[in-house]
Amino acid sequence: QVQLVESGGGLVKPGGSLRLSCTASGFTFSDFYMTWIRQAPGKGLEWVSYISGTSTFTNYADSVKGRFTISRDNAKSSLYVQMTSLRPEDTAVYYCARATSGSTDAFDFWGQGTMVTVSS
Amino acid sequence: QSVLTQPPSVSAAPGQKVTISCSGSSSNIGNSYVSWYQQLPGTAPKLLIYDNNKRPSGIPDRFSGSKSGTSATLGITGLRTGDEADYYCGTWDASLSAVVFGEGTKLTV
């Protein structure tokens, strides 16, 4: 069965950096676009970034462009996001999700999420 | 403020039917597929509908999706208390070059 497990969340000071990881299993990882989606406490879903199966294509929300970098290691079935210059408004649960086959904008499997808190 | 507009809340009695609307524009819903997600309290979102009206394996046919012009609708029949959740629509916005979600609708049964 498909599983996605995020890790790496925690408390970080404004201006700091953090790297989140997502380990996938149960499917051929390299065949799918993967994405990061976040949810601030008590708020709705916000798409953050996606990456194609071969890492050829990436895209970012304007709110994180220039500060976040998405990457993947298909040999390890792992997805990453390097977050720098963190701001309090980046505080959220970060989910990794798999895009449906042939799509970049529908997501059929989600991890349980990892909490990132940006505060002094 | 999202480019996709959903009602903040809807309610209906057990066994009844409810619809949740998602209104957008020609840069998003009007020219892209719509997906719908259910988020039960304290859990990750779950895909209910993709490509406007397709259900993933394991999603009961009580859930349906439709799209007309720049609006989409999620329908749920035979409501159960276990359907109480937040529901989100999502799509691609060509003007923003980004995936966008509605602000969510809280369903009370």
Side-chain angles (χ1 to χ4, degrees), chain B residues 22-25 29-30 32 34 52 65-73:
Chain B
C22 177
S23 178
S25 68
I29 291 178
S32 298
V34 177
N52 301 332
S66 64
K67 189 183 97 167
S68 178
T70 58
S71 293
T73 301

Side-chain angles (χ1 to χ4, degrees), chain A residues 30-33 51-57 72 74:
Chain A
S30 58
D31 284 351
F32 292 85
Y33 273 74
I51 186 169
S52 64
T54 56
S55 302
T56 303
F57 302 107
R72 64 192 295 162
N74 288 341

Side-chain angles (χ1 to χ4, degrees), chain B residues 72-90:
Chain B
T73 301
L74 173 70
I76 311 173
T77 60
L79 281 169
R80 307 170 180 177
T81 56
D83 295 330
E84 288 198 334
D86 293 322
Y87 292 83
Y88 295 90
C89 58

Side-chain angles (χ1 to χ4, degrees), chain B residues 54-67:
Chain B
K54 297 178 183 175
R55 280 177 287 107
S57 174
I59 301 300
D61 59 7
R62 299 190 300 109
F63 297 91
S64 64
S66 64
K67 189 183 97 167

Side-chain angles (χ1 to χ4, degrees), chain A residues 35 37 39 42-48 50 59-62 65 95 100 103-113, chain B residues 32-33 35 37 39 42-47 49-51 56 86 88 90-92 96-104:
Chain A
T35 191
I37 293 165
Q39 187 170 33
K43 301 297 185 182
L45 303 173
E46 180 188 13
W47 170 78
V48 173
Y50 70 60
N59 194 14
Y60 299 89
D62 284 347
K65 203 169 290 183
Y95 296 102
T100 58
S103 165
T104 59
D105 54 39
F107 312 106
D108 55 1
F109 288 95
W110 299 59
Q112 84 287 352
Chain B
S32 298
Y33 288 118
S35 53
Y37 304 86
Q39 187 174 32
T43 69
K46 176 183 180 181
L47 180 65
I49 299 289
Y50 67 101
D51 289 357
D86 293 322
Y88 295 90
T91 190
W92 175 258
L96 298 175
S97 293
V99 177
V100 292
F101 293 100
E103 293 181 330

Side-chain angles (χ1 to χ4, degrees), chain A residues 33-118:
Chain A
Y33 273 74
M34 296 295 296
T35 191
W36 288 99
I37 293 165
R38 68 185 182 183
Q39 187 170 33
K43 301 297 185 182
L45 303 173
E46 180 188 13
W47 170 78
V48 173
S49 179
Y50 70 60
I51 186 169
S52 64
T54 56
S55 302
T56 303
F57 302 107
T58 60
N59 194 14
Y60 299 89
D62 284 347
S63 57
V64 306
K65 203 169 290 183
R67 300 187 299 122
F68 289 14
T69 303
I70 193 171
S71 62
R72 64 192 295 162
D73 184 337
N74 288 341
K76 295 181 178 180
S77 293
S78 293
L79 175 73
Y80 309 99
V81 61
Q82 178 69 46
M83 305 185 296
T84 63
S85 302
L86 282 162
R87 306 165 179 168
E89 54 264 36
D90 295 318
T91 294
V93 174
Y94 285 73
Y95 296 102
C96 75
R98 188 185 84 168
T100 58
S101 182
S103 165
T104 59
D105 54 39
F107 312 106
D108 55 1
F109 288 95
W110 299 59
Q112 84 287 352
T114 187
M115 183 71 203
V116 172
T117 303
V118 184

